[in-house]
Amino acid sequence: MQAGPMDEPPSILWGLDPIFSAFARLYIKDILQMTESVQVPGIYFYNNHPIYKVDVLGTVVYKRERDDFFCYGVDDGTGVINCLCWKSELFKDKDDGAGAAPGPSDPTVFDPVAELKKLKQAQQKRCRLEIGELIRVRGPVKTSRQQREITASVFYKVEDPLMAEQIQWMMDVPELYRECYDKTFQLQSDKQGESADSPLIKATNLIKDFIKQKSVSKFRTYDVLDLLEPLISRQPQAASADPEAAGPSGCQQVRQLLKEVLKVLQDEGVVYRRVKTQDEVYHTRRKAATSCTSCRRSGSDTASTSAKRLWRSSLNRSCATVTSSAAATNITPRFNAKCRHFDSFVQYNHCRTPGWTSQCL
């Protein structure tokens, strides 16, 4: 799973991999087996992903304490790694407040000095661990004296009496491996070589055109299945002598193609799902209209007069001014004087008033 020296991408492209900027939740076994970069010391590779800082959760199996740091051995079930945890200023000020005057006898009076001392004691207790306790460490990976270790930038004891944190960790890490770490890092230029005539790109453009032309706010999968059927029917299917060795049916191919298209659209932020249900309702991210160009005046002068009365009675604080009965459509909102655009409330009342069209909704 590790990258060889010849497989390393150029260092100028490492920032294109999102894992490079994140704390990688790797198993300790993989951290110990990562290959160090030949271009930049201190950078390691796992499956061609550049990594230099990690996030581990495990049990303390040994500890050493010095004046300036703690040294904990962390075991997550796959291996043991040494974690160097530097002491903060809280541990150095041991005599802080030792000779201070006692606080007020009245417990209702707030004493900031006493509260600050309690806070420091709580932080010291959380950073000082014993063997068998659960610790979480985040920091860069280093190689010291031919041994791999983690220089902790953040470390703390995890209070987990019900093992909820450990169970959640055991569920998240395998998923991260499947979705991120076990997939080889590929440069963006490699993906641009995909043909524009591929079914995936065609299907993605069809769904985008469908959303744009129909102005839909939400849709279901069976609403767009018919759009993708011509793409599958055009693909040549190789004849096979063995009917059992034949590939998936056309319906299965359409559903698989739609699944890939929806995943691409979700990654691009075009569609999203609020709640995962069986009917698979997808919502679109529509932008608010910026103009109302189809608003036209229709009807007689009587309808125009009644429209004025309804406007004056329903909107005490009127957002627009009717200039004349002949040009009643030239209503300029106070918040946008360049286009004949109304907010949703004004549009609702305006377009349901006799003498106005409903096209501006």
Side-chain angles (χ1 to χ4, degrees), residues 24-313:
R25 295 188 182 185
L26 295 175
Y27 294 120
I28 292 179
K29 177 183 177 182
D30 295 329
I31 297 176
L32 297 175
Q33 294 179 355
M34 288 192 304
T35 304
E36 189 171 7
S37 172
V38 296
Q39 304 178 55
V40 181
I43 305 297
Y44 302 86
F45 282 91
Y46 176 83
N47 202 14
N48 218 25
H49 293 285
I51 294 173
Y52 75 97
K53 52 185 180 180
V54 295
D55 184 359
V56 297
L57 176 71
T59 306
V60 177
V61 294
Y62 66 84
K63 60 170 292 187
R64 294 194 302 269
E65 183 177 357
R66 298 293 184 266
D67 294 337
D68 296 331
F69 62 89
F70 296 102
C71 190
Y72 296 114
V74 181
D75 183 3
D76 69 343
T78 65
V80 181
I81 192 170
N82 185 51
C83 298
L84 183 64
C85 307
W86 293 95
K87 292 183 178 180
S88 63
E89 298 295 332
L90 299 175
F91 293 94
K92 298 179 181 180
D93 300 337
K94 295 182 179 179
D95 298 333
D96 186 16
S105 57
D106 189 0
T108 60
V109 178
F110 178 76
D111 186 6
V113 177
E115 295 297 329
L116 183 60
K117 185 177 180 180
K118 292 180 181 179
L119 179 61
K120 289 183 177 181
Q121 292 176 354
Q123 291 179 344
Q124 290 179 2
K125 184 179 179 181
R126 195 176 186 188
C127 295
R128 191 185 299 271
L129 289 89
E130 301 297 333
I131 296 177
E133 294 181 333
L134 194 64
I135 185 175
R136 184 168 183 178
V137 182
R138 309 178 78 181
V141 182
K142 303 290 183 182
T143 301
S144 176
R145 298 176 182 176
Q146 303 300 323
Q147 291 185 355
R148 198 71 52 82
E149 67 178 15
I150 302 174
T151 303
S153 56
V154 176
F155 72 98
Y156 57 89
K157 181 173 67 173
V158 178
E159 301 290 347
D160 191 22
L162 301 179
M163 301 183 68
E165 293 287 341
Q166 300 179 63
I167 294 174
Q168 186 65 38
W169 185 274
M170 289 186 290
M171 294 174 62
D172 293 342
V173 173
E175 184 177 359
L176 287 173
Y177 268 85
R178 289 192 299 268
E179 298 294 333
C180 302
Y181 306 144
D182 286 343
K183 293 183 179 179
T184 305
F185 171 52
Q186 296 179 354
L187 301 178
Q188 188 69 21
S189 58
D190 297 336
K191 298 182 180 180
Q192 292 176 355
E194 188 176 4
S195 175
D197 296 334
S198 64
L200 180 60
I201 295 180
K202 286 184 177 181
T204 304
N205 294 333
L206 280 176
I207 301 299
K208 288 182 178 179
D209 294 340
F210 167 78
I211 295 173
K212 183 178 180 180
Q213 293 175 4
K214 301 298 182 180
S215 300
V216 294
S217 59
K218 60 181 179 180
F219 64 91
R220 293 174 173 81
T221 54
Y222 55 77
D223 295 332
V224 294
L225 277 175
D226 297 339
L227 300 175
L228 306 183
E229 289 183 357
L231 299 178
I232 300 299
S233 61
R234 293 174 187 171
Q235 293 182 1
Q237 297 182 358
S240 177
D242 188 4
E244 295 182 357
S249 62
C251 182
Q252 294 176 347
Q253 293 180 13
V254 171
R255 293 183 178 275
Q256 180 64 27
L257 179 60
L258 179 60
K259 183 178 179 181
E260 295 176 1
V261 170
L262 292 175
K263 186 177 185 305
V264 172
L265 294 178
Q266 289 185 71
D267 294 340
E268 294 179 358
V270 179
V271 300
Y272 67 96
R273 293 180 64 182
R274 292 181 180 175
V275 182
K276 291 186 177 180
T277 56
Q278 295 181 353
D279 54 355
E280 297 185 9
V281 180
Y282 289 87
H283 299 262
T284 61
R285 301 183 184 275
R286 298 175 58 190
K287 296 182 179 180
T290 57
S291 62
C292 184
T293 59
S294 61
C295 184
R296 297 291 185 270
R297 178 175 178 267
S298 64
S300 60
D301 295 339
T302 305
S304 177
T305 305
S306 61
K308 293 180 184 179
R309 294 199 190 99
L310 288 174
W311 272 100
R312 291 169 182 170
S313 60

Side-chain angles (χ1 to χ4, degrees), residues 294-296 298 347 350-353 355-361:
S294 61
C295 184
R296 297 291 185 270
S298 64
Q347 286 186 18
H350 167 62
C351 296
R352 280 161 177 73
T353 304
W356 303 88
T357 63
S358 61
Q359 297 178 354
C360 60
L361 282 177

Side-chain angles (χ1 to χ4, degrees), residues 308-329:
K308 293 180 184 179
R309 294 199 190 99
L310 288 174
W311 272 100
R312 291 169 182 170
S313 60
S314 61
L315 301 176
N316 295 328
R317 297 179 180 178
S318 61
C319 299
T321 304
V322 179
T323 57
S324 63
S325 60
T329 57

